[in-house]
Amino acid sequence: MLKKVLLGSLGAALVLTAGILLGHFGIQRGSTAPDWVMDVTQDVDEALIQKFIAEVDNIAIQENLRELTKVPHMATSPGDEQTVQYMLKRWQDPDTGLDQAWREEYKVYLSFPDPNTPNKVTVVNPSDAVLYTAREKEKAYSSDQEDPEVVQPYAAYAPAGHPKGRLVYANQGKPSDYFLLNQTLNLTGTVAITRYGGEGRAGKAINAAPYGVIGVLVYTDPWDINDGKMSDNNETYPFSWYMPPSGVERGSFNTHYGDMLTPYLAAKDDTYRIPEKNITGIPPIPTQPIGFEDAYALICELGGEPAPSEWQGAFNCTYNFGGPGFKPTSNFNNSDVKLDIYNREELKNSANVMGVIRGSVEPDRYVIYGNHRDSWVHGAIDPSSGTSVMLEVTRVLGRMVKQGKWRPRRSIIFGSWGAEEFGLIGSTEYTEEYYSKLSERSVAYINVDIAVFGKSKSVKNKFLFTMTAYEQWVKTPGSDSTSVYDNWIRYFNRTSPAYGVIPNVGFLTGAGSDYAAFIHFLGITSMDISYTYDRTKTRARIYPAYHTAYDTFDYASKFIDPGFTSHQTVARTAGNVLMRLADSLLLPFNCSDYAETLEGYLSKAMELYTDGLASHMISIGGSQHVIWASSKAGQATFPGLADAYTRAASTGLDSDWKEAHRQLSILVQAIQGAAHTLGDAI
């Protein structure tokens, strides 16, 4: 039924459009059509797309990346502000810039280690003498790692504390891992060591706490990221792309995205903020990431029973559960592992950098292209590979606009998002502030975060509309004949009952990057694009230097994309799609495929959830309206505010007045969001 409705609506729109155009030109027969008619009826200019593809320069992308990675640029750091200024300079350039560029500030809740009191992980004997100390910072192989702005590895949003207890090995920290471990050991008062993968970062600690675990260590096993390679004498960076033994994956240890103190509200100075104690989805116990050289020293000394075969990794020892604690024959026998964590939370100003090319015919319809700007350290691949690509796309398009050779039919909005690494914060706050305008006017969102994952074999797109045939225009790196489309089919395909073998298009079901708020919160058609390595030839779940101090320009230029031709291919592919979305007379969405997907989702949801929801008197329905909703207060005014105010006035409780503040913030931002749609197009 849904498919028929969508196809019927599309057909009706096409008939109506054709009728209007035929009627107009029938009346005007014999006369010259005015200029505005030509503008309105202009479709994609294939010559301009070819011009764009030809002008995208791999060396320009290389130099963009060199500039972006000169210093570490963690969110709100001096290096981050330096990249803000660089983005503004580029987008305000009189020859190659955009029509307009500006910064937008949000005051957001972030978590940092104490630079004056570093976090520590030690093994201590019963008299608290230190027997072993894990590295506080990664080993330096170049001046990049020696930069004083390189942040110590830490688990963002993990609480401060000083847990001390016997060590146990909990595999990936999944609920099933702790359940199995608890069948053998009493976990109360223990410290667990877990490996990345299988469970989200925060989940490794959230899952542990109910069993009485008081602290968690996290490391990357060489089996999961390095194809088992462990030596920095000849196997790992700086000799190859593999993570060296001291490498540590930093990360945000939270399960929700957006500013955690202002859920569903833009984090402005005067926005209501929930109490910090009400935050959910973060570790309830101290947590710290370490390198696999330190994990090796700890895991290979553990006593107890051998862990299952699927828990074993690359170390040349048996991974045991722990006694809990170490073997009787170990130098660490009868010793505890101690975590001294000094993380602290702060409200900090974080900036998005925004830019726009105004549309000539439909300026109030937006194609949005975004990439986050902040990194954990130098961030050459994550995210600066995507930023360097975006800057080259805007350079070429900006010059075409400045020279009067092109202006898109619809407006293009570019977003350089801040504080993504802390939970997709910049993009989420932007969508929360402008949700009414964006949800009504946006055509699509294109995300290019990590543009290139490795020496590339295939393009992977994940988006909810089909434009694959247009990628015949773009050729793979180093080839004048093989197209991205053909390469895509070769390495990442599926068989369709209707079309045969076609490129496989994944679905953006998770929240891995800045597309999340656009597709999951606003329901905007979204795309995430990257060029990836041949995953049949490695076990690496992501490029090995991910979130480490080794993700540098040197690493990118030597091991990920020498010559930057894969970056060039991503820029050409993304720009090709961008121009077609901005210029097509009729949007190139395959509505029938989308309808089939939605029907499948609905069918599965009904199958899985209908009976369970019905037993609790729950049915699928619309969200509450902030104006036309029932009010317990019985007042002819805004119901949420009226109810909260009436309750607070009667109880006098501080918590109830805070709820009234929250309801007021919801109301004000809902009205402001509606008002945005009445203002200028941009």
Side-chain angles (χ1 to χ4, degrees):
M1 181 62 185
L2 178 59
K3 180 177 178 181
K4 291 179 180 178
V5 170
L6 286 173
L7 289 175
S9 299
L10 178 61
L14 290 172
V15 170
L16 178 61
T17 301
I20 291 173
L21 293 175
L22 287 172
H24 174 79
F25 288 115
I27 293 171
Q28 297 291 328
R29 185 177 299 156
S31 64
T32 303
D35 290 341
W36 67 266
V37 172
M38 299 303 296
D39 291 338
V40 168
T41 59
Q42 175 67 46
D43 205 349
V44 173
D45 186 332
E46 300 292 346
L48 282 174
I49 290 184
Q50 290 279 41
K51 176 179 173 59
F52 167 83
I53 290 172
E55 291 189 7
V56 170
D57 185 357
N58 59 307
I59 301 303
I61 296 173
Q62 171 185 289
E63 294 313 305
N64 291 343
L65 189 67
R66 193 190 305 274
E67 182 67 30
L68 288 163
T69 56
K70 282 183 175 178
V71 295
H73 47 283
M74 186 170 66
T76 74
S77 70
D80 185 34
E81 177 60 25
Q82 187 170 315
T83 61
V84 168
Q85 296 302 323
Y86 179 63
M87 298 299 293
L88 286 171
K89 177 183 177 181
R90 291 290 300 273
W91 285 355
Q92 293 173 347
D93 186 276
D95 298 319
T96 61
L98 308 177
D99 289 331
Q100 186 180 0
W102 66 98
R103 66 189 293 159
E104 293 195 356
E105 299 276 353
Y106 299 96
K107 181 170 285 188
V108 300
Y109 183 73
L110 303 181
S111 169
F112 302 100
D114 186 336
N116 300 315
T117 313
N119 295 344
K120 290 183 180 293
V121 176
T122 55
V123 177
V124 296
N125 66 17
S127 61
D128 270 350
V130 175
L131 305 181
Y132 182 86
T133 302
R135 281 184 182 270
E136 294 176 9
K137 287 197 172 185
E138 291 140 303
K139 182 177 177 180
Y141 297 101
S142 73
S143 58
D144 288 323
Q145 290 86 49
E146 294 173 338
D147 192 305
E149 290 297 311
V150 172
V151 68
Q152 176 198 16
Y154 75 111
Y157 299 111
H162 307 277
K164 181 175 71 170
R166 293 292 195 263
L167 188 67
V168 295
Y169 171 57
N171 192 30
Q172 296 175 324
K174 303 186 298 290
S176 59
D177 293 334
Y178 286 112
F179 178 82
L180 178 61
L181 187 59
N182 194 54
Q183 304 305 299
T184 303
L185 301 173
N186 177 3
L187 298 181
T188 301
T190 62
V191 171
I193 184 168
T194 65
R195 61 204 249 191
Y196 274 116
E199 175 64 71
R201 296 187 188 99
K204 297 176 189 299
I206 293 171
N207 299 335
Y211 291 96
V213 176
I214 58 174
V216 172
L217 298 175
V218 188
Y219 79 101
T220 302
D221 198 280
W223 183 245
D224 301 319
I225 201 76
N226 273 13
D227 296 317
K229 294 178 172 57
M230 296 175 56
S231 171
D232 64 351
N233 289 328
N234 54 12
E235 293 182 325
T236 68
Y237 184 81
F239 302 99
S240 76
W241 81 322
Y242 291 118
M243 176 193 284
S246 67
V248 184
E249 178 184 320
R250 297 155 180 79
S252 181
F253 282 62
N254 56 334
T255 60
H256 309 316
Y257 59 84
D259 178 60
M260 288 189 284
L261 293 183
T262 60
Y264 299 104
L265 298 169
K268 296 297 187 178
D269 284 345
D270 57 354
T271 301
Y272 169 78
R273 288 172 167 79
I274 66 172
E276 291 185 26
K277 65 180 181 181
N278 291 350
I279 293 174
T280 59
I282 60 175
I285 53 180
T287 305
Q288 176 71 14
I290 59 175
F292 68 74
E293 69 173 354
D294 289 315
Y296 177 87
L298 298 175
I299 288 176
C300 287
E301 296 298 314
L302 280 174
E305 297 295 319
S309 59
E310 60 269 23
W311 288 32
Q312 302 297 315
F315 299 155
N316 60 352
C317 66
T318 299
Y319 291 51
N320 295 327
F321 286 133
F326 300 106
K327 302 172 186 174
T329 56
S330 169
N331 291 333
F332 299 158
N333 179 40
N334 201 30
S335 297
D336 291 326
V337 169
K338 185 181 181 185
L339 279 63
D340 290 297
I341 308 301
Y342 300 95
N343 297 347
R344 59 191 187 189
E345 290 69 48
E346 299 179 52
L347 281 177
K348 301 273 284 187
N349 285 324
S350 177
N352 291 338
V353 180
M354 308 301 301
V356 66
I357 298 176
R358 292 187 181 85
S360 60
V361 178
E362 303 176 54
D364 59 345
R365 292 293 178 264
Y366 312 143
V367 181
I368 308 170
Y369 182 126
N371 161 247
H372 75 94
R373 187 187 62 258
D374 66 300
S375 64
W376 283 113
V377 192
H378 292 84
I381 305 304
D382 181 15
S384 299
S385 63
T387 308
S388 62
V389 162
M390 181 165 66
L391 283 171
E392 177 61 1
V393 170
T394 57
R395 181 190 71 84
V396 177
L397 295 181
R399 184 165 62 182
M400 290 165 64
V401 170
K402 298 291 186 182
Q403 292 176 345
K405 296 179 179 178
W406 172 78
R407 181 165 290 278
R409 178 186 189 89
R410 303 174 185 92
S411 294
I412 303 175
I413 297 174
F414 296 93
S416 174
W417 313 121
E420 185 269 359
E421 294 293 6
F422 288 85
L424 316 182
I425 290 178
S427 57
T428 302
E429 300 314 300
Y430 175 75
T431 58
E432 288 174 343
E433 182 171 12
Y434 298 104
Y435 71 95
S436 294
K437 193 176 198 178
L438 294 173
S439 62
E440 291 294 329
R441 298 180 178 181
S442 297
V443 169
Y445 174 71
I446 300 172
N447 193 69
V448 182
D449 184 344
I450 300 175
V452 181
F453 278 90
K455 291 184 178 178
S456 307
K457 295 296 183 183
S458 63
V459 168
K460 285 193 177 180
N461 290 328
K462 299 178 181 178
F463 54 109
L464 297 180
F465 57 93
T466 303
M467 299 185 68
T468 53
Y470 296 123
E471 302 320 321
Q472 294 282 14
W473 288 96
V474 182
K475 305 304 179 183
T476 57
S479 172
D480 293 328
S481 57
T482 304
S483 69
V484 165
Y485 181 82
D486 293 333
N487 206 45
W488 191 351
I489 287 180
R490 178 182 177 188
Y491 288 99
F492 195 59
N493 61 63
R494 69 179 180 89
T495 301
S496 163
Y499 310 111
V501 178
I502 61 173
N504 193 9
V505 179
F507 298 100
L508 299 179
T509 54
S513 191
D514 289 297
Y515 56 77
F518 290 92
I519 190 168
H520 301 318
F521 178 48
L522 297 183
I524 295 170
T525 299
S526 297
M527 169 184 185
D528 186 42
I529 181 173
S530 61
Y531 220 98
T532 187
Y533 50 86
D534 187 344
R535 293 176 184 268
T536 66
K537 302 208 173 130
T538 176
R539 291 179 49 86
R541 58 184 173 83
I542 198 168
Y543 71 97
Y546 174 69
H547 286 190
T548 73
Y550 307 110
D551 187 358
T552 61
F553 180 83
D554 176 74
Y555 181 84
S557 60
K558 286 183 180 177
F559 304 117
I560 298 298
D561 188 21
F564 289 82
T565 54
S566 294
H567 284 76
Q568 182 183 43
T569 299
V570 171
R572 287 170 168 171
T573 302
N576 185 9
V577 174
L578 179 66
M579 292 181 74
R580 293 182 187 281
L581 286 170
D583 279 348
S584 293
L585 184 61
L586 296 176
L587 289 170
F589 292 170
N590 193 326
C591 296
S592 61
D593 286 353
Y594 186 39
E596 289 175 3
T597 299
L598 293 181
E599 284 183 331
Y601 278 15
L602 178 60
S603 176
K604 179 58 68 173
M606 298 298 286
E607 172 192 334
L608 294 176
Y609 309 131
T610 298
D611 293 342
L613 291 173
S615 67
H616 292 277
M617 305 297 289
I618 300 172
S619 62
I620 298 174
S623 303
Q624 181 180 5
H625 199 291
V626 299
I627 297 177
W628 301 111
S630 59
S631 172
K632 299 180 182 67
Q635 303 294 320
T637 185
F638 304 107
L641 178 61
D643 290 347
Y645 183 89
T646 300
R647 178 175 178 81
S650 65
T651 66
L653 295 176
D654 183 66
S655 59
D656 287 336
W657 283 112
K658 287 182 177 178
E659 174 60 15
H661 185 182
R662 188 177 79 89
Q663 289 294 333
L664 178 61
S665 293
I666 292 172
L667 175 63
V668 168
Q669 293 198 9
I671 294 173
Q672 287 177 339
H676 285 314
T677 66
L678 303 176
D680 293 336
I682 301 301

